[in-house]
C-alpha cells in the first residue's frame, strides 16, 4: 500500500475547544487560497478585523475598503466543494473536500471560495464565522473558559463536591481521578501532564489545584473539536442544543423518523450532566458528546438487534451460521479437543455443528477431530452440552452434522444417547413427499436436525453399507491411522452404518454430488451435499449460475480444505455469493474471515439465520455471482463515508519498541460480490496521541447491498510493517446514517473498552449525483447519454413477442426515475448541499438565507397544495431565482412520476406475469423449437434475464414513487417548522410513508 503523510498547519498543542478559540485564530489571521471563477488559485492573508465586523484579505488590487466582506452581509458559510466554482472540473482533484469552504454574501449571493491548508483551519474559520453571523458584534466568552453559563458552573460544582474541606483546592491526584471518572477512556498520564502544563503556565506549581485550573484542564482535555463544531452548526445560540435544535439534528442529520420534543427531553434527561441543563432542556457539549457515544446513537441499526427478517421461507433460502471442528481451541493438527469450544460456538449463534465420531477406548464413541489429539471427549458429554446450550442464543433449528468413523455397535450407542438426551428436540418426522421445499426455520423452531447418511430404502438389516464422505479422512491419512482402504477401481469408499443412526436422519440426508443436471432431475429436496472448498471454488468460478440455481432448492455445506492444518479459514463471501447456505468456519481462528462471518450473522438478531437476497431465491431470476457491474433489477447504491476521528486507540500488541506514539490510519473495506469488493484508506494521523483526527471522505459503489459487508480496520503506520490496532465489521444493510461512533474490537472480536471511530454515513442511489471527471463541454450534466435497460431475445417467437410489449414501459420507467433524480441533484447543488442531503435540509437552507437577508426578500411555500409551489414576492437575486427554477422542475418531475408510476408499473408486471406463464411450458416449447446445446442455454439465460429485469424495474419504480411522496412530506414538514410555509397544516393527503423492515414477498 502507498504510504501517505499529512502535515497539519495548526500547531499540535492548539486545541479548538470553544468559539472563542476560533475567533482568536481569525483575529491573528492566516494564509488561505482564494479561488477565482477561472479556477485559478491565489494565496492571500485573511484576517478578522479587531471590531469583528468584517473579514479582510491582502495583498489585493482592490483598495482596502473593497478587499473585505462585512459579517452582516454573510448569508451562509458552506463546508466542502459546494459552489459551482469549487465543483468545476479543473479543480476537482487538486485539494480534498475537507479543505474547502465558501462564504456566500451580499444581496446577489456571491461566493468567496477558499481553500485552507488543513481541515482544522476550515473548522475554525467556519465555526467562528457562523458564530459571528448569528451574534453580530456580541463579544464571545473569553478564550479558554469554554461555556460559562452551563458548562463551567457544572464543572465547578463537580470540583466543589470533591473539595471536602472547602479550602478551594483539591489534591492533583484527586483531580486526575475526577477527570478520568468523567472520561473513562482517557489515560492517567495524559491528564497528569495537562495539570503540570497548566500549573507551570500559571506559575502555580504544587500538589494541589484550584477550581479555575481544574475547569481549564477539563475543557482542554474533554472537548472534542469535531463534536463542538457539530454542536455549533445546529445550535441556535452556539452554546448548547435546545429541544428544537436537537430535534432538527436527529431528523435532518441522523435520519430518525417520528422524533418528538418529548423524546428530545428524554435524551437531555439521560445524557446532560448539569442539573441546570436538564431542568431547562439544554444539551451542552458534554451531554452531546455522551449521547453521540451512547448505544442510542450506535452505527448498528437497532432494528437488526432482534430477528427482523421473514423466517417463514424454506430452510434453503437462508445462510446458516456453521462451525467446523468447533471443539478445537487450537489448530487442526495439534489441537486439543476441549468441550468449551462448543459452548462458545453455540453462544455466538452457530446453528450447524460438525461431530466426527470415533471408536472410544471405553466401548462408547468419542469426539475429536484427529486421532492424534492428546485428549478426547466422550460423545455422551458433548450431546449433554448441546442439549443444555442448543437454544440459549437462538430458538431456530440446530443442525448436527455427523461424520461417522466408529464401528456399528458404537453407532448404536451414539443413536441411543441422542434419543435419550435430546428427546422431543430431535426432529424425526419423515419428509413430506408432495412438498417441493424444506420447512422453514419458523416451523422448525426449537428442533435439532441430524445431517448424515441413510441406509438405502430396500435394506432390512440392522446395518448396511453406504458411501462414505471424504470429510474427516485427510488427517487420518496423514497420521497413517487410516483403517479402511479405498476400493479398487477408485470408486467411493464404503462404510457400515447402523439402522438406529440411519433412522435419526430426516430432512438433511447426506448424498454424494454427481453433477448439476443429475441433481436437477433426481435430487430430492431433503437430500443435501457437502463440498470441499476446492470443489466448491471451482464451481463458483466455472459455473456460478448453476450453483446459485442448485442452492435455491437444496442445502449445500462447504467445508475447509484438508490442507488447512493450521485451522485457517476460507473466505465465506466466495460461497455466499453463489447462495451456499452452510460455510463451515473454524470458530477458534480469529482474523478477517471470522470477522466477516461474525459481522454477517449479527444482522438478524444474531439468530444464526440470514435470509438470502431475493435475486437468489426467486425461481426464475438472472444472477451472475461474478458480475463486475450493476445487476439487472437491483438498485446500486453509493456509500459516502467520512472518517472523522478516533478515540482511545490502544497500542498494537508487541509494539513496545515504538514507545507511546501510535501513528494510525483507517482502512475501509467492502466485501461482497466481485463488483463491490473495494478498499480505501485515510492518510496517516501523525503524532496524534490516542485521539487522531482523520477528517477524510471515502466513497464506495455497492451493486448488491444485501450481500455487502463494511469492515473498518485501524492500523499503525510502521516503517517495517503496518500493525493491527482494531477492527469492526458490519453488514451494509445494518448501517445507520448520520454521525455515528464505531465500537472497535480486537482481532479476536472482543470489544475494546472506550475505543471508537467517529464517522459520518450517508447512502444515496447511484444516480443520486456527482459529476464525471471529464473536462470541457462533454463533462456537463445533461449531455450524458441515458442508458435504458432492455429485454433480450430468447429465439422463441411467442415468448419474444410477450417481452417486446415491455420495451416502451421500460423506457418510460427509466425516464420517470432519472428525470426526478437529475432534478433533485440540481436543486441540492444550488442549495449548496451534497447529493446525500435530504429534502428537509434543502428547505431549511433556503429559509436560512432569507433570515440572514437585509432586504425584505419574500419566498413562500404554498402548503395548501399537494405539490407546494415555491413563490417569490417581488424582485429576487439571480442565485435564488435559479433555486426556485430548480425547485419547480423537481416538483413537476416528481408529480409526473407519482401520477404515472402505477400505470407503467402495471404494464411491467403484466409483461412479467405473461412471461412467467410460459415458464412451466418452457422445456416443451424448447424441444418443439429444436433448441439444444449453446442455443438452449442462451434461451434459458435470456428468459431469466427478462423476468429479472421486468420485476426489478417495476420494484425500482415503486420505490421511486415512495421516495417522491416522502420528499413531498418533508417539504410540508420543513415549510411549517421553518416559517416559510403558508396556508397552514400539511396536506391531508400526505402522511409520511413508513419503511419498516418488511419481509420481501416471493
Amino acid at each position: 500500500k502507498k504510504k501517505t503523510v499529512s502535515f497539519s498547519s495548526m500547531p499540535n498543542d492548539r486545541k479548538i475547544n470553544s468559539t472563542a478559540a476560533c475567533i482568536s485564530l481569525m483575529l491573528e489571521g492566516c494564509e488561505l487560497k482564494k479561488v477565482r471563477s477561472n479556477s485559478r488559485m491565489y494565496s492571500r492573508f485573511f484576517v478578522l478585523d479587531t471590531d469583528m465586523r468584517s473579514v479582510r484579505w491582502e495583498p489585493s488590487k482592490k483598495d482596502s475598503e473593497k478587499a473585505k466582506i462585512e459579517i452582516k452581509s454573510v448569508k451562509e458559510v458552506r463546508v466542502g466543494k459546494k459552489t459551482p466554482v469549487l465543483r468545476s472540473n479543473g479543480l476537482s482533484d487538486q485539494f480534498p473536500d475537507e479543505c474547502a469552504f465558501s462564504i456566500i454574501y451580499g444581496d446577489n449571493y456571491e461566493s468567496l471560495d477558499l481553500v485552507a491548508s488543513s481541515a482544522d483551519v476550515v473548522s475554525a474559520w467556519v465555526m467562528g464565522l457562523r458564530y459571528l453571523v448569528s451574534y453580530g458584534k456580541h463579544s464571545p466568552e473569553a478564550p479558554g473558559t469554554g461555556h460559562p453559563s452551563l458548562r463551567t458552573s457544572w464543572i465547578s460544582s463537580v470540583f466543589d463536591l470533591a473539595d471536602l474541606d472547602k479550602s478551594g483546592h483539591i489534591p492533583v491526584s484527586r483531580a486526575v481521578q475526577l477527570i478520568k471518572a468523567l472520561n473513562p477512556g482517557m489515560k492517567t498520564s495524559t491528564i497528569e501532564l495537562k495539570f503540570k502544563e497548566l500549573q507551570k503556565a500559571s506559575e502555580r506549581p504544587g500538589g494541589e489545584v484550584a477550581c479555575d485550573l481544574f475547569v481549564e484542564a477539563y475543557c482542554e482535555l474533554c472537548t472534542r473539536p469535531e463534536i463542538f463544531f457539530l454542536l455549533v452548526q445546529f445550535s441556535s445560540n452556539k452554546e448548547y442544543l435546545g429541544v428544537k435544535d436537537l430535534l432538527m439534528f436527529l431528523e435532518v442529520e441522523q435520519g430518525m423518523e417520528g422524533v418528538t420534543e418529548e423524546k428530545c427531553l428524554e435524551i437531555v434527561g439521560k445524557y446532560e450532566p448539569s442539573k441546570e441543563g436538564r431542568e431547562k432542556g439544554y444539551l451542552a457539549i458534554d451531554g452531546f458528546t455522551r449521547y453521540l457515544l451512547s448505544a442510542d446513537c450506535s452505527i448498528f441499526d437497532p432494528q437488526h438487534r432482534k430477528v427482523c427478517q421473514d423466517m417463514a421461507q424454506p430452510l434453503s433460502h437462508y445462510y446458516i451460521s456453521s462451525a467446523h471442528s468447533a471443539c478445537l481451541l487450537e489448530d487442526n493438527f495439534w489441537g486439543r479437543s476441549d468441550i468449551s469450544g462448543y459452548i462458545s460456538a453455540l453462544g455466538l449463534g452457530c446453528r450447524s455443528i460438525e461431530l466426527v465420531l470415533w471408536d472410544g477406548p471405553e466401548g462408547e464413541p468419542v469426539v475429536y477431530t484427529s486421532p492424534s489429539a492428546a485428549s478426547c471427549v466422550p460423545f455422551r458429554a458433548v450431546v449433554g452440552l448441546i442439549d443444555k446450550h442448543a437454544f440459549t442464543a437462538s430458538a431456530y433449528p440446530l443442525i448436527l452434522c455427523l461424520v461417522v468413523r466408529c464401528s456399528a455397535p458404537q453407532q448404536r450407542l451414539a443413536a441411543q444417547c441422542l434419543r435419550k438426551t435430546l428427546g422431543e428436540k430431535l426432529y424425526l418426522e419423515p419428509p413430506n413427499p408432495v412438498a417441493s421445499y424444506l420447512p422453514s426455520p419458523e416451523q422448525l423452531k426449537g428442533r435439532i436436525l441430524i445431517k448424515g447418511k441413510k441406509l438405502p430404502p430396500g435394506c432390512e438389516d440392522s446395518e448396511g453399507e453406504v458411501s462414505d464422505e471424504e470429510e474427516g479422512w485427510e488427517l487420518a491419512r496423514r497420521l497413517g491411522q487410516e483403517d479402511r482402504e479405498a476400493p479398487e477401481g477408485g470408486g467411493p469408499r464404503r462404510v457400515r452404518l447402523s439402522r438406529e443412526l440411519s433412522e435419526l436422519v430426516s430432512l438433511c440426508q447426506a448424498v454424494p454430488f454427481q453433477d448439476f443436471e443429475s441433481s436437477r432431475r433426481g435430487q430430492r429436496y431433503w437430500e443435501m451435499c457437502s463440498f470441499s472448498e476446492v470443489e466448491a471454488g471451482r464451481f463458483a468460478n466455472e459455473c456460478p449460475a448453476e450453483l446459485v440455481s442448485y442452492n435455491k432448492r437444496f442445502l449445500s455445506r462447504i467445508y475447509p480444505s484438508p490442507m488447512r492444518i493450521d485451522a485457517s479459514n476460507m473466505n465465506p463471501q466466495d460461497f455466499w455469493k453463489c447462495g451456499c447456505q452452510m460455510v463451515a468456519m473454524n470458530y477458534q481462528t480469529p482474523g478477517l474471515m471470522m470477522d466477516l462471518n461474525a459481522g454477517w450473522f449479527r444482522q438478524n438478531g444474531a439468530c444464526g439465520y440470514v435470509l438470502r437476497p431475493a435475486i437468489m431465491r426467486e425461481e426464475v431470476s438472472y444472477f451472475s455471482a461474478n458480475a463486475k457491474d450493476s445487476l439487472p433489477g437491483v438498485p446500486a447504491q453509493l456509500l459516502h463515508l467520512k472518517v472523522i476521528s478516533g478515540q482511545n486507540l490502544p497500542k498494537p500488541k508487541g509494539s513496545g519498541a515504538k514507545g507511546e506514539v501510535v501513528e494510525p490510519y483507517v482502512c475501509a473495506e467492502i466485501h461482497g460480490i466481485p463488483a463491490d469488493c473495494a478498499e480505501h484508506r485515510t492518510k496517516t494521523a501523525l503524532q496524534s496521541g490516542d485521539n487522531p483526527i482523520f477528517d477524510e471522505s471515502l466513497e464506495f459503489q455497492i451493486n448488491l447491498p444485501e450481500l455487502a459487508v463494511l469492515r473498518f480496520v485501524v492500523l499503525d503506520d510502521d516503517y517495517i510493517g503496518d500493525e493491527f490496532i482494531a477492527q469492526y465489521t458490519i453488514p451494509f444493510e445494518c448501517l445507520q446514517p448520520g454521525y455515528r461512533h464505531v465500537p472497535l474490537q480486537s482481532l479476536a472480536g472482543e470489544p475494546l473498552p472506550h475505543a471508537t471511530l467517529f464517522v459520518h454515513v450517508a447512502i444515496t442511489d447511484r444516480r443520486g449525483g456527482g459529476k464525471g471527471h471529464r473536462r470541457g463541454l462533454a463533462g456537463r450534466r445533461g449531455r450524458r447519454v441515458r442508458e435504458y435497460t432492455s429485454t433480450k431475445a430468447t429465439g422463441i417467437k411467442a415468448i419474444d413477442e410477450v417481452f417486446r410489449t415491455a420495451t416502451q414501459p421500460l423506457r418510460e420507467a427509466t425516464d420517470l426515475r432519472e428525470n426526478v433524480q437529475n432534478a433533485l441533484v440540481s436543486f441540492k447543488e444550488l442549495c449548496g448541499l451534497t447529493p446525500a442531503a435530504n429534502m428537509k435540509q434543502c428547505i431549511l437552507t433556503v429559509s436560512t438565507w432569507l433570515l440572514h437577508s437585509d432586504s425584505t426578500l419574500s419566498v413562500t411555500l404554498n402548503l395548501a397544495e399537494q405539490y407546494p409551489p415555491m413563490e417569490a414576492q417581488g424582485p429576487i437575486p439571480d442565485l435564488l431565482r435559479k433555486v426556485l427554477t430548480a425547485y419547480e422542475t423537481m416538483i413537476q418531475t416528481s408529480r409526473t412520476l407519482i401520477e404515472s408510476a402505477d400505470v407503467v408499473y402495471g404494464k411491467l408486471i403484466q409483461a412479467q406475469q405473461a412471461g412467467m406463464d410460459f415458464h412451466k411450458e418452457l422445456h416443451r416449447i424448447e424441444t418443439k423449437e429444436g433448441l439444444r446445446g449453446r442455443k438452449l442455454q442462451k434461451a434459458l439465460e435470456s428468459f431469466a434475464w427478462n423476468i429479472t429485469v421486468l420485476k426489478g424495474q417495476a420494484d425500482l419504480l415503486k420505490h421511486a414513487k415512495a421516495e417522491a411522496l416522502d420528499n413531498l412530506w418533508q417539504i410540508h414538514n420543513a415549510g411549517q417548522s421553518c416559517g416559510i410555509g403558508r396556508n397552514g397544516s400539511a396536506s391531508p393527503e400526505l402522511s409520511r410513508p413508513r419503511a419498516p423492515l418488511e419481509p420481501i414477498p416471493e
Side-chain angles (χ1 to χ4, degrees):
K1 286 176 208 156
K2 186 179 162 191
K3 303 273 185 189
T4 56
V5 175
S6 66
F7 297 96
S8 174
S9 65
M10 187 167 284
N12 206 43
D13 57 350
R14 178 164 198 164
K15 193 155 187 184
I16 298 293
N17 60 6
S18 67
T19 319
C22 300
I23 304 285
S24 170
L25 178 122
M26 291 164 68
L27 287 164
E28 288 172 29
C30 72
E31 194 172 279
L32 300 170
K33 285 192 172 74
K34 186 168 176 274
V35 186
R36 290 255 184 95
S37 54
N38 60 7
S39 296
R40 289 190 178 171
M41 295 198 283
Y42 301 88
S43 285
R44 298 287 182 262
F45 188 81
F46 282 76
V47 65
L48 175 67
D49 270 356
T50 47
D51 64 2
M52 298 193 210
R53 286 183 176 170
S54 49
V55 172
R56 297 179 181 273
W57 60 91
E58 55 186 33
S60 172
K61 289 176 184 172
K62 300 175 183 175
D63 62 62
S64 60
E65 282 309 299
K66 287 188 178 175
K68 70 172 187 179
I69 289 177
E70 290 190 0
I71 297 294
K72 66 179 184 183
S73 74
V74 174
K75 302 286 185 283
E76 186 192 359
V77 186
R78 298 178 184 175
V79 187
K81 301 170 189 171
K82 303 278 176 57
T83 61
V85 170
L86 290 176
R87 274 201 211 98
S88 68
N89 293 323
L91 288 174
S92 54
D93 298 325
Q94 289 188 31
F95 48 86
D97 198 62
E98 298 78 31
C99 291
F101 70 106
S102 303
I103 303 170
I104 312 296
Y105 67 97
D107 290 342
N108 291 325
Y109 290 75
E110 295 169 67
S111 72
L112 174 64
D113 299 300
L114 301 167
V115 178
S117 54
S118 75
D120 295 337
V121 176
V122 171
S123 296
W125 275 89
V126 171
M127 206 185 302
L129 284 166
R130 284 177 176 168
Y131 181 89
L132 292 169
V133 168
S134 298
Y135 282 107
K137 194 177 169 292
H138 295 307
S139 179
E141 74 276 4
T145 58
H147 296 307
S149 58
L150 275 179
R151 196 181 199 196
T152 309
S153 55
W154 165 65
I155 302 166
S156 303
S157 70
V158 171
F159 179 90
D160 292 342
L161 286 171
D163 181 11
L164 303 174
D165 53 6
K166 305 301 171 201
S167 64
H169 292 82
I170 61 171
V172 171
S173 58
R174 195 182 300 160
V176 170
Q177 285 171 343
L178 264 183
I179 289 182
K180 194 164 173 60
L182 294 168
N183 258 283
M186 196 171 282
K187 284 183 184 168
T188 306
S189 57
T190 307
I191 307 169
E192 287 171 344
L193 189 65
K194 179 55 69 181
F195 277 118
K196 279 181 187 168
E197 276 177 26
L198 293 176
Q199 283 181 321
K200 187 179 177 185
S202 62
E203 298 178 352
R204 288 188 282 174
E208 296 199 322
V209 293
C211 184
D212 62 330
L213 203 124
F214 178 77
V215 170
E216 191 176 347
Y218 179 88
C219 286
E220 289 200 16
L221 286 166
C222 303
T223 308
R224 283 176 47 191
E226 71 277 24
I227 292 183
F228 183 69
F229 184 50
L230 193 57
L231 180 134
V232 169
Q233 201 177 329
F234 279 88
S235 165
S236 45
N237 73 352
K238 309 301 167 205
E239 208 173 275
Y240 50 75
L241 296 173
V243 169
K244 283 192 165 55
D245 300 332
L246 181 57
L247 192 142
M248 192 69 68
F249 170 74
L250 296 176
E251 277 196 346
V252 167
E253 205 52 74
Q254 303 296 86
M256 287 172 68
E257 293 181 3
V259 188
T260 58
E261 292 197 2
E262 289 72 32
K263 173 68 181 169
C264 294
L265 284 169
E266 197 182 299
I267 290 170
V268 173
K270 191 172 177 182
Y271 297 105
E272 174 54 42
S274 72
K275 189 182 176 194
E276 185 191 350
R278 290 194 299 272
E279 285 170 355
K280 292 182 176 175
Y282 297 157
L283 194 65
I285 180 68
D286 299 289
F288 189 42
T289 305
R290 287 179 180 190
Y291 170 64
L292 287 172
L293 277 164
S294 72
D296 288 347
C297 208
S298 166
I299 191 168
F300 192 93
D301 188 339
Q303 286 193 80
H304 288 272
R305 294 195 190 282
K306 53 187 186 296
V307 175
C308 56
Q309 295 177 345
D310 178 9
M311 300 304 285
Q313 301 289 328
L315 209 59
S316 60
H317 285 187
Y318 298 84
Y319 296 111
I320 303 170
S321 180
S322 305
H324 179 255
S325 315
C327 60
L328 291 185
L329 287 182
E330 295 171 43
D331 63 52
N332 259 343
F333 199 45
W334 306 110
R336 298 171 63 83
S337 297
D338 186 304
I339 211 155
S340 64
Y342 288 108
I343 302 173
S344 169
L346 290 168
L348 290 168
C350 177
R351 295 289 82 196
S352 166
I353 281 181
E354 175 197 45
L355 300 174
V356 186
L357 276 62
W358 298 83
D359 279 331
E362 307 295 321
E364 65 170 308
V366 293
V367 169
Y368 44 34
T369 325
S370 85
S372 73
S375 63
C376 55
V377 184
F379 181 67
R380 185 173 20 87
V382 175
V383 176
L385 194 82
I386 288 169
D387 180 53
K388 187 178 175 185
H389 295 277
F391 301 106
T392 49
S394 170
Y396 292 99
L398 174 68
I399 301 170
L400 297 183
C401 301
L402 296 188
V403 180
V404 180
R405 298 277 172 263
C406 59
S407 60
Q410 293 206 9
Q411 290 176 30
R412 291 189 191 98
L413 290 175
Q416 288 163 16
C417 171
L418 286 164
R419 279 185 186 270
K420 185 180 173 187
T421 312
L422 302 178
E424 289 294 304
K425 291 175 188 164
L426 262 185
Y427 186 89
L428 301 171
E429 296 159 35
N432 178 358
V434 297
S436 302
Y437 285 92
L438 288 161
S440 69
E442 191 62 44
Q443 290 169 303
L444 297 169
K445 246 181 175 178
R447 306 303 290 273
I448 294 175
L449 312 180
I450 305 294
K451 178 236 168 198
K453 291 287 179 179
K454 217 166 162 55
L455 289 173
C459 180
E460 301 294 330
D461 301 334
S462 60
E463 59 184 73
E465 271 200 351
V466 292
S467 62
D468 192 11
E469 295 190 64
E470 271 303 299
E471 193 173 0
W473 274 115
E474 186 64 27
L475 283 174
R477 207 175 285 136
R478 283 168 173 278
L479 297 163
Q481 299 201 10
E482 189 175 1
D483 60 350
R484 295 165 178 77
E485 289 300 317
E488 288 179 26
R493 193 191 309 271
R494 310 290 292 176
V495 290
R496 303 293 292 175
L497 179 67
S498 76
R499 174 165 296 285
E500 286 92 330
L501 206 53
S502 170
E503 285 172 351
L504 298 183
V505 177
S506 167
L507 292 178
C508 297
Q509 183 183 337
V511 296
F513 179 77
Q514 291 172 310
D515 56 64
F516 291 116
E517 186 54 32
S518 303
S519 295
R520 190 167 73 86
R521 293 185 186 282
Q523 189 171 334
R524 292 168 297 189
Y525 72 84
W526 61 84
E527 296 174 333
M528 64 175 286
C529 300
S530 290
F531 303 88
S532 79
E533 69 169 291
V534 176
E535 186 183 19
R538 194 176 79 247
F539 292 146
N541 287 325
E542 293 173 9
C543 42
E546 288 177 277
L547 189 52
V548 170
S549 182
Y550 172 87
N551 286 319
K552 287 178 184 178
R553 276 190 66 204
F554 310 117
L555 286 176
S556 60
R557 181 173 180 274
I558 317 298
Y559 58 89
S561 161
M563 302 309 290
R564 293 184 183 273
I565 59 170
D566 59 348
S568 60
N569 275 307
M570 50 192 162
N571 185 344
Q573 285 275 7
D574 290 344
F575 307 104
W576 289 339
K577 71 180 184 186
C578 294
C580 299
Q581 298 87 351
M582 300 158 72
V583 182
M585 304 293 285
N586 288 308
Y587 269 60
Q588 71 276 21
T589 310
L592 164 63
M593 305 313 171
M594 203 55 218
D595 292 344
L596 292 177
N597 193 73
W600 179 251
F601 282 105
R602 273 193 209 114
Q603 67 182 288
N604 191 23
C607 75
Y609 285 82
V610 168
L611 190 63
R612 296 184 314 170
I615 201 166
M616 290 188 186
R617 306 193 309 265
E618 287 154 356
E619 191 178 355
V620 180
S621 64
Y622 179 89
F623 172 67
S624 173
N626 296 326
K628 296 284 190 289
D629 199 359
S630 55
L631 303 166
V634 178
Q637 299 193 308
L638 278 183
L639 169 63
H640 309 264
L641 183 67
K642 186 171 188 181
V643 182
I644 302 167
S645 60
Q647 292 72 46
N648 308 311
L649 300 180
K651 283 171 64 181
K653 287 183 179 173
S655 62
K658 283 188 75 172
E660 288 297 305
V661 181
V662 175
E663 295 183 342
Y665 67 93
V666 179
C667 257
E669 307 164 349
I670 293 287
H671 298 265
I673 59 170
D676 291 345
C677 291
E679 176 187 308
H680 295 310
R681 58 157 288 178
T682 66
K683 58 183 177 286
T684 300
L686 291 174
Q687 299 181 348
S688 55
D690 306 326
N691 304 300
I693 297 281
F694 300 105
D695 233 335
E696 205 153 339
S697 299
L698 314 172
E699 195 175 277
F700 298 91
Q701 180 172 312
I702 315 290
N703 294 292
L704 185 56
E706 290 172 278
L707 207 59
V709 176
L710 170 63
R711 183 173 185 254
F712 295 94
V713 194
V714 188
L715 296 160
D716 187 12
D717 198 343
D718 195 5
Y719 67 94
I720 298 171
D722 298 347
E723 292 178 271
F724 176 90
I725 296 174
Q727 65 84 25
Y728 182 72
T729 309
I730 179 171
F732 181 80
E733 299 279 273
C734 299
L735 285 171
Q736 288 218 94
Y739 289 92
R740 307 285 173 184
H741 279 92
V742 178
L744 294 172
Q745 298 177 341
S746 69
L747 192 63
E750 291 150 357
L752 293 168
H754 313 297
T756 53
L757 285 178
F758 187 44
V759 300
H760 182 265
V761 176
I763 296 164
T764 58
D765 290 338
R766 184 180 62 164
R767 300 201 186 281
K771 295 183 182 177
H773 287 295
R774 293 174 294 173
R775 296 175 185 275
L777 287 174
R780 277 166 38 193
R781 190 179 52 248
R783 296 292 180 94
R784 178 170 64 81
V785 177
R786 186 164 289 180
E787 294 169 14
Y788 293 99
T789 308
S790 58
T791 55
K792 293 181 178 179
T794 62
I796 302 166
K797 192 178 177 185
I799 295 177
D800 286 342
E801 278 175 7
V802 165
F803 287 132
R804 214 169 286 127
T805 62
T807 307
Q808 191 54 33
L810 279 172
R811 288 184 73 90
E812 287 173 20
T814 303
D815 286 338
L816 287 170
R817 285 188 298 106
E818 296 238 339
N819 289 347
V820 172
Q821 283 289 3
N822 291 340
L824 273 170
V825 171
S826 295
F827 180 54
K828 287 174 186 179
E829 283 187 355
L830 283 165
C831 291
L833 297 167
T834 65
N838 59 33
M839 190 50 57
K840 193 162 187 177
Q841 282 169 292
C842 297
I843 303 301
L844 294 173
T845 301
V846 174
S847 73
T848 309
W849 294 349
L850 301 172
L851 285 173
H852 292 154
S853 178
D854 287 343
S855 57
T856 53
L857 275 178
S858 178
V859 173
T860 56
L861 276 169
N862 184 356
L863 299 182
E865 297 189 30
Q866 187 181 353
Y867 302 96
M870 195 181 276
E871 298 156 346
Q873 271 69 46
I876 54 168
D878 189 41
L879 175 70
L880 212 49
R881 184 161 298 288
K882 284 180 182 172
V883 169
L884 261 64
T885 306
Y887 174 85
E888 181 61 25
T889 306
M890 182 206 63
I891 284 290
Q892 289 309 325
T893 54
S894 298
R895 180 174 190 159
T896 307
L897 168 68
I898 291 165
E899 292 174 354
S900 313
D902 290 351
V903 173
V904 178
Y905 176 85
K907 287 178 185 173
L908 291 172
I909 291 298
Q910 190 180 351
Q912 189 238 0
Q913 287 170 348
M916 282 302 287
D917 290 342
F918 283 106
H919 180 240
K920 289 190 175 72
E921 298 291 305
L922 207 53
H923 283 289
R924 185 185 61 77
I925 298 169
E926 286 156 3
T927 311
K928 185 183 167 190
E929 295 275 332
L931 294 176
R932 57 173 64 86
R934 184 76 196 102
K935 280 189 176 177
L936 173 61
Q937 185 64 32
K938 195 98 175 72
L940 290 171
E941 267 184 26
S942 296
F943 183 83
W945 165 278
N946 294 345
I947 295 293
T948 307
V949 160
L950 291 172
K951 185 178 185 307
Q953 292 296 315
D955 287 347
L956 285 176
L957 188 60
K958 198 174 180 182
H959 175 69
K961 181 185 172 182
E963 276 197 346
L965 286 167
D966 188 60
N967 280 337
L968 289 182
W969 183 89
Q970 287 187 47
I971 290 167
H972 276 87
N973 187 286
Q976 282 182 303
S977 62
C978 70
I980 66 167
R982 61 184 176 84
N983 297 337
S985 63
S987 168
E989 295 171 48
L990 284 172
S991 60
R992 180 156 210 191
R994 293 277 160 196
L997 287 164
E998 293 172 354
I1000 298 162
E1002 288 304 300

